[in-house]
Amino acid sequence: MRECCPYREALFQGRLWTPKAIRESLLFWTEADDLSTISIATGVSEWRDKSIFSRHVSQSNTGLQPVFSPTSFGGRHGIYFDGTRHLFRTSAFCFAAGSTSTFAAILPNASLPATLDFAIAEGNSTNGNPIYGVLTNQNASPFTALGFYNRPDSGGVVNPALFASALTNQKRVLGVIDSGSSATGFVDGVAGTPQNYTRNPTSLDRFALGGLLRSTFALPLPCVMNTVIIVSGVVSLSTRYKIEGYIAWKSGVRLSASHPFCNRPPLIGD
């Protein structure tokens, strides 16, 4: 397990940079190691949003509640989504923001994925309506592409392979920065090639973790999640680095050696 003393020292000393520094821009922020935000019955019935908007995600159906484990994220706390279990809220907010920056500590499962597999998504209660999400897209196993998807009623626009990196059974800090006309994927702080696309006007009414919730649940990405942070707008390079560094040091993910926070966590004042 990665040494976490620098993170804990900075946290206890009040020097650690956290997403609270960008609280006005935070659309959504969940952490599996903050037990005060997790309600557990037969499974996880609610994962509370730490942003000022309180966009909590929940699941009242006990058979569909994901599983909390103190060690499932490579020895750290994680919430396991098995391909049927999911958390959601019946209001959407990402697509409406126009541009968003999404980052998450995710450990994808080794099971063979479908052509499209969503970890974080917004959808409409009508199956044929547009959907938007952070996903993997690969027909073969192991899947290797981090992608972005914006689908109109009449057909699909898939931008696969924003970044190519082996993801299966490895915990990663994944990200997508979406400007509203292009999307760039990130794996452990390294950027892929930006992909241009045409955004289609849409009306969304539900947000989900673990898959896509339209009139029914579909296209899941079996995975363990440790942290999810969604920010309004295209974050600056400095803020991206801090978010990635914060997530990585908290979840035990090793960032790229070229990343400014590969060897220490981000601190207030950086």
Side-chain angles (χ1 to χ4, degrees), residues 37 39 52 60 85 92 96 115 137 219 228 250 253:
T37 66
S39 296
I52 62 175
S60 60
R85 301 169 189 268
T115 302
N137 179 27
L219 303 176
V228 179
K250 194 178 66 60
V253 175

Side-chain angles (χ1 to χ4, degrees), residues 6-238:
Y7 169 84
R8 295 188 182 279
E9 288 176 1
L11 176 64
F12 294 149
Q13 294 170 5
R15 298 185 299 117
L16 180 69
W17 183 94
T18 78
K20 290 180 181 179
I22 53 171
R23 65 191 304 269
E24 299 300 327
S25 299
L26 277 178
L27 296 175
F28 186 74
W29 175 20
T30 54
E31 297 184 341
D33 59 352
D34 187 346
L35 298 182
S36 69
T37 66
I38 302 172
S39 296
I40 302 174
T42 54
V44 176
S45 58
E46 185 177 52
W47 198 4
R48 288 182 285 283
D49 173 23
K50 298 174 65 171
S51 82
I52 62 175
F53 299 105
S54 299
R55 293 184 169 109
H56 312 317
V57 288
S58 61
Q59 178 59 260
S60 60
N61 186 327
T62 57
L64 298 179
Q65 292 172 354
V67 178
F68 171 81
S69 168
T71 59
S72 60
F73 194 81
R76 307 291 177 93
H77 291 182
I79 295 180
Y80 174 53
F81 299 85
D82 66 358
T84 60
R85 301 169 189 268
H86 57 282
L87 297 169
F88 71 98
R89 62 179 288 107
T90 53
S91 65
F93 51 92
C94 294
F95 191 91
S99 58
T100 54
S101 302
T102 302
F103 299 90
I106 296 179
L107 193 163
N109 189 275
S111 62
L112 180 67
T115 302
L116 297 171
D117 298 89
F118 288 86
I120 303 167
E122 288 185 344
N124 191 280
S125 56
T126 303
N127 275 341
N129 281 356
I131 55 178
Y132 168 78
V134 178
L135 56 92
T136 61
N137 179 27
Q138 187 81 332
N139 291 320
S141 180
F143 58 97
T144 58
L146 175 68
F148 168 86
Y149 189 58
N150 171 227
R151 191 180 77 85
D153 287 334
S154 59
V157 177
V158 180
N159 295 324
L162 294 186
F163 189 89
S165 177
L167 302 177
T168 305
N169 274 349
Q170 298 186 52
K171 56 184 184 180
R172 300 288 192 182
V173 175
L174 303 183
V176 170
I177 293 181
D178 167 26
S179 71
S181 60
S182 68
T184 304
F186 303 85
V187 176
D188 296 343
V190 179
T193 302
Q195 299 289 318
N196 296 327
Y197 75 98
T198 299
R199 173 165 287 212
N200 295 281
T202 186
S203 175
L204 300 171
D205 60 13
R206 54 193 65 197
F207 170 80
L209 298 182
L212 167 68
L213 183 62
R214 298 182 291 193
S215 62
T216 59
F217 182 70
L219 303 176
L221 174 64
C223 64
V224 180
M225 293 189 190
N226 174 274
T227 305
V228 179
I229 294 174
I230 303 176
V231 183
S232 176
V234 174
V235 297
S236 67
L237 181 61
S238 173

